[in-house]
Amino acid sequence: MDLQTDIVAVTVYQDRAQVVRRGTITLEPGSHRLEVGPLPVHLVVESVRARGEGTAQALSLIHI
């Protein structure tokens, strides 16, 4: 399932950029795989943050 996002803010530093994307999706109960992209090749996986409502649990993040 693709999660469509929009870039809502960008802060540029000398050695990197911080990009804030925002998207919304409503899911039925159960297990789901969400794909967000395309993302930069040099993405720092540890910098990815997600927020949700309810009792969701992120099991993994894969950056290809």
Side-chain angles (χ1 to χ4, degrees):
M1 183 176 310
D2 288 338
L3 174 58
Q4 300 301 315
T5 62
D6 295 312
I7 295 174
V8 296
V10 176
T11 304
V12 179
Y13 302 96
Q14 287 184 344
D15 61 339
R16 66 193 182 283
Q18 177 183 2
V19 179
V20 178
R21 296 171 177 262
R22 189 164 291 145
T24 302
I25 192 167
T26 301
L27 301 171
E28 297 297 323
S31 180
H32 301 277
R33 177 184 174 143
L34 297 179
E35 296 184 12
V36 179
L39 297 173
V41 173
H42 300 292
L43 173 74
V44 177
V45 175
E46 294 81 15
S47 72
V48 175
R49 303 287 181 263
R51 183 174 62 197
E53 296 177 5
T55 56
Q57 179 182 15
L59 300 177
S60 65
L61 171 66
I62 300 171
H63 179 245
I64 298 174

